[in-house]
Amino acid sequence: MSAVLASPAPASPAPASPAPASPAPAVFDLRDPAFHADPHAFAPRMHALGPVQRDSTGVWLVTGHPEARAILTSPRHGRDPRRWPGYAQVRPYLADSTLERSVERWMLMNDPPVHTRLRRLAGNAFAPGALRDLRAAIDATAAELIARLPADGRFDLMRDFAQPFPVRVIGDLLGLPAADFAQGKAWSDALALVVEPAASRKAREASDRAAAGMLDYLRDALAQRRARRSDDLIGRMLDAQAADGVTSDDELLANLMLMFVAGHETTTNLIGNGMLCLLRHPPALARLRADQALLPGAIEEMLRYEGSVTVVARIAHEDIDLGAARIRAGDLMYCLTGIANRDPRVFADPARFDIARAPNPHLAFGGGVHYCIGAPLARLEAEIAFTRLFARFPALRLAAEPVRWRPLVNLRGLAALELCGGAPAPGSVGPGA
């Protein structure tokens, strides 16, 4: 689950706040297909230009790791997009739509004290201690899905495992019927695009329809839980709502929507991106297979090297100096966490995939009060997924190159990852061999 979603951005560039007389030219265009294909190729140039720059639309781009960490952890900056002056021009994507109203109620689109109250709804459901009780059930789900994969044939890891696995986990956690998971996934795919800085109007309209459908579905689920108490996450969030006496049903529904969407989208990408990293670095994969005690550290390196999210937004609440930049209250800042996680000032040889890297202070889960509430669940799911995949497939390899990335700016993930489970035929050499 990600708490690092990017703020909505204008369909046509709009100024964030009064810009300097001569703002710096754009360093690159987030919509550039080359950036979608490999944002890390831009890292050396970005770091050479300095840790904080301003693009031609007036948005600050923060590429330095210390600077991004400072912004993400400081109470002097916030997440509520309504505190950005340019939001008045951005919000009318669909006027006063279900989508816009719902997103504005998400906990990660609010600052304290509202954020604190909404985050409390989930209680300790994602704490490591609570997740230990769920480990056996999550492992059983992974084992069931992996058992369906052909032992010696070709399959798409994304379609056949990385996508359905976390959907089933979060669906079970919420107490939703398994028969409804496919519909929930379809809604979620459309809703996830709300965090894309350059989402088209057509995509936003699809997101709005998905928001309406999911809210109707969740409203029925709330009615059922109120009629008959359940010990799932929905039931516990209802108890928290009753205890605080402030949270509205609209706020509760919006954050249940968020739980489902964020509860699987980035975990899917962690599994896919991480597997690709391993298959493209055979010595690392061999080392991990030989010593699976390295797996927790390897997952951290997957998150740093090829994280699921590349942009985290903040709005300055007051004037600040950051490096050579003077950032004004109300300015919009994009922390490019994927670039910051390659900062040579913090990570030795940052372009090297090192499963034993330590320390590894990556920013894949954001920081501060908005640090990803679902980070422990994502780590647990990834650990179980890789353990089960290694056990099932002793000779897993890439079946097709080049791989296909989804054409998105913020959500870094694969459209497909074709793999072969069996060893190659004698004398043959295939992709990734």
Side-chain angles (χ1 to χ4, degrees):
M1 182 182 301
S2 171
V4 290
L5 306 177
S7 290
S12 299
S17 63
S22 300
V27 176
F28 64 88
D29 187 342
L30 290 175
R31 297 162 296 184
D32 185 347
F35 182 73
H36 302 166
D38 186 8
H40 309 301
F42 291 83
R45 180 184 174 206
M46 296 293 285
H47 291 309
L49 288 169
V52 184
Q53 302 120 34
R54 199 170 197 177
D55 76 6
S56 59
T57 72
V59 173
W60 293 101
L61 305 178
V62 184
T63 60
H65 183 282
E67 293 77 12
R69 179 179 287 279
I71 288 171
L72 295 174
T73 58
S74 173
R76 301 168 70 189
H77 318 297
R79 193 64 191 79
D80 187 341
R82 289 160 291 194
R83 297 191 69 163
W84 172 45
Y87 189 64
Q89 296 168 275
V90 172
R91 191 181 189 273
Y93 272 111
L94 300 173
D96 191 26
S97 68
T98 299
L99 175 69
E100 306 294 352
R101 292 193 301 272
S102 298
V103 170
E104 287 167 358
R105 294 179 179 121
W106 286 0
M107 65 179 76
L108 61 84
M109 293 294 187
N110 283 273
D111 298 323
V114 175
H115 168 269
T116 308
R117 171 173 59 82
L118 294 176
R119 187 163 172 134
R120 197 177 293 128
L121 289 172
N124 296 317
F126 298 101
L131 293 176
R132 278 194 293 271
D133 297 336
L134 298 173
R135 186 181 187 105
I138 295 173
D139 184 64
T141 298
E144 176 191 337
L145 290 169
I146 289 172
R148 300 175 186 175
L149 303 177
D152 296 314
R154 179 168 170 164
F155 60 91
D156 177 0
L157 182 71
M158 306 309 295
R159 180 194 63 216
D160 299 332
F161 177 72
Q163 292 172 0
F165 173 50
V167 169
R168 285 186 50 173
V169 170
I170 194 63
D172 287 341
L173 188 61
L174 288 165
L176 303 177
D180 297 339
F181 290 171
Q183 177 61 74
K185 170 62 175 169
W187 283 327
S188 180
D189 286 347
L191 282 164
L193 296 182
V194 77
V195 306
E196 281 298 305
S200 67
R201 183 177 183 85
K202 183 177 180 180
R204 300 285 288 204
E205 289 170 347
S207 296
D208 186 51
R209 291 191 296 271
M214 182 171 273
L215 287 177
D216 286 344
Y217 174 82
L218 291 172
R219 195 171 287 109
D220 288 342
L222 286 187
Q224 293 170 16
R225 301 307 193 283
R226 284 184 168 131
R228 184 175 181 179
R229 176 68 173 86
S230 62
D231 191 30
D232 50 40
L233 183 54
I234 293 179
R236 291 195 291 275
M237 290 177 73
L238 275 169
D239 289 346
Q241 179 198 32
D244 73 32
V246 176
T247 301
S248 68
D249 273 7
D250 285 338
E251 289 176 314
L252 180 58
L253 287 164
N255 283 281
L256 283 170
M257 174 198 295
L258 171 63
M259 292 290 178
F260 190 88
V261 175
H264 70 84
E265 175 69 32
T266 52
T267 305
T268 289
N269 294 339
L270 168 56
I271 294 169
N273 297 0
M275 181 58 75
L276 181 63
C277 288
L278 291 172
L279 294 176
R280 283 182 167 172
H281 297 85
L285 176 56
R287 184 181 181 188
L288 186 56
R289 283 189 180 276
D291 183 5
Q292 291 199 28
L294 294 170
L295 184 54
I299 290 169
E300 298 308 306
E301 180 68 347
M302 295 169 193
L303 289 162
R304 181 199 73 86
Y305 189 85
E306 195 68 89
S308 301
V309 175
T310 65
V311 182
V312 185
R314 289 291 188 270
I315 294 93
H317 289 175
E318 58 187 72
D319 294 355
I320 60 165
D321 292 315
L322 190 65
R326 179 66 169 171
I327 297 174
R328 303 291 184 182
D331 279 359
L332 176 61
M333 301 171 286
Y334 279 165
C335 295
L336 303 186
T337 52
I339 303 294
N341 284 337
R342 302 281 184 113
D343 190 336
R345 296 176 298 166
V346 175
F347 302 99
D349 195 4
R352 176 169 54 91
F353 181 67
D354 180 2
I355 63 171
R357 185 181 294 275
N360 193 348
H362 64 77
L363 301 174
F365 290 121
V369 298
H370 287 286
Y371 184 83
C372 179
I373 192 173
L377 178 60
R379 288 181 168 114
L380 176 60
E381 289 178 272
E383 181 183 336
I384 289 171
F386 286 109
T387 300
R388 284 286 179 179
L389 286 165
F390 293 156
R392 169 74 166 165
F393 301 107
L396 199 62
R397 69 187 194 280
L398 283 170
E401 284 274 23
V403 297
R404 292 189 294 116
W405 293 97
R406 297 166 68 192
L408 303 174
V409 173
N410 189 17
L411 299 175
R412 176 75 171 158
L414 293 158
L417 185 62
E418 298 287 340
L419 304 180
C420 283
S428 68
V429 177

